[in-house]
Amino acid sequence: MLDSTQFKGYNLWVAMSSQVKPQILFSSQEIETRVRQLAAEIRKDYHNKRPVLIGILKGSFVFLADLVRLLDFPLEVEFIRLSSYGRGKETSGTVRVVQGLASEVKGRHVLIIEDIVDTGLTVAFLFDYLRKEKPASLKLCVLTNKPSRRQTLVNIDYLGFTIPDKFIVGYGIDWDEKFRNLPDIGFMEAED
Ligand code: IMP
């Protein structure tokens, strides 16, 4: 797997993106180890349930892709795209569905896959939205959690990393659509 030092064009990419550059928080190797551990937990709970894993676009796409390839039992993958309006790095708290599910989840075991729980408003909205569809069960798997920013109660069933109140990028997670292709997770820090 690539790491940031091998990532061709990475420095150029950083230089092109104005006054900010990501500092590495979790390397691709650390992420891979943690995702394997999460997959083992999920396997134990879901191997005979044919779950539907719902990735929240766009930020979860890399995490979901790595996770499902470590799950060796029948499952289905769906995506939902949500949008919260806000300026810069802040969510407005108003969440809406931009692209809904392509299939029904009634009576199914649903596992939501999310990149970050920050204020918690996005996953709280999705829980309310999906509960109305009457799934057999509804759980949440999150790669990173910023508990210091929480505005609403969220129960995370499977968690990769607890992180400080920093704006992170990489491994599918963006800043203004940049850095999704960074193999590590970094945080944004202004250059002096
Ligand atoms: P919420 O505040 O928990 O509703 O998070 C909403 C969404 O904001 C997440 O799904 C992410 O897409 C985005 N987000 C929150 N924190 C960060 C961050 O540190 N980096 C990039 N995106 C973030």
Side-chain angles (χ1 to χ4, degrees):
M1 199 181 263
L2 286 170
D3 65 31
S4 59
T5 53
Q6 297 165 305
F7 194 62
K8 299 273 187 296
Y10 169 67
N11 289 328
L12 179 63
W13 195 238
V14 168
M16 284 165 60
S17 61
S18 67
Q19 281 84 34
V20 287
K21 67 174 184 181
Q23 304 292 313
I24 302 304
L25 192 60
F26 303 111
S27 69
S28 57
Q29 289 86 351
E30 287 174 291
I31 299 167
E32 189 182 338
T33 302
R34 193 69 192 106
V35 173
R36 276 188 192 284
Q37 291 164 346
L38 288 177
E41 283 180 51
I42 291 168
R43 183 183 198 292
K44 197 151 44 78
D45 298 343
Y46 284 95
H47 67 276
N48 56 358
K49 290 186 173 161
R50 202 163 67 86
V52 184
L53 273 59
I54 300 181
I56 306 181
L57 291 172
K58 300 178 192 175
S60 71
F61 81 103
V62 176
F63 178 36
L64 180 60
D66 279 353
L67 189 63
V68 291
R69 283 178 292 172
L70 296 166
L71 299 175
D72 59 345
F73 55 85
L75 57 80
E76 290 170 31
V77 173
E78 277 291 338
F79 289 100
I80 191 164
R81 189 160 173 198
L82 304 175
S83 155
S84 57
Y85 286 94
R87 267 170 291 157
K89 296 171 183 173
E90 290 297 321
T91 176
S92 71
T94 308
V95 184
R96 69 179 187 112
V97 178
V98 176
Q99 184 187 317
L101 297 174
S103 62
E104 285 196 1
V105 296
K106 187 174 180 183
R108 302 295 303 274
H109 293 283
V110 172
L111 182 59
I112 299 168
I113 310 294
E114 174 63 314
D115 55 350
I116 304 173
V117 177
D118 185 29
T119 63
L121 296 171
T122 301
V123 288
F125 169 89
L126 188 56
F127 261 85
D128 286 347
Y129 180 86
L130 290 175
R131 265 198 209 104
K132 292 182 190 136
E133 305 293 316
K134 307 251 185 299
S137 69
L138 186 56
K139 285 191 177 181
L140 176 63
C141 173
V142 172
L143 183 63
T144 63
N145 181 29
K146 277 191 222 173
S148 59
R149 299 252 313 159
R150 201 68 93 252
Q151 290 181 23
T152 185
L153 196 68
V154 172
N155 181 42
I156 301 175
D157 300 283
Y158 308 92
L159 172 64
F161 302 101
T162 299
I163 59 171
D165 181 10
K166 292 191 183 290
F167 195 84
I168 62 166
V169 293
Y171 197 69
I173 301 163
D174 76 310
W175 171 63
D176 201 18
E177 294 303 324
K178 299 184 196 73
F179 303 115
R180 289 196 199 275
N181 52 336
L182 180 64
D184 313 300
I185 292 175
F187 62 89
M188 305 307 292
E189 203 167 60
E191 274 181 357
D192 297 326

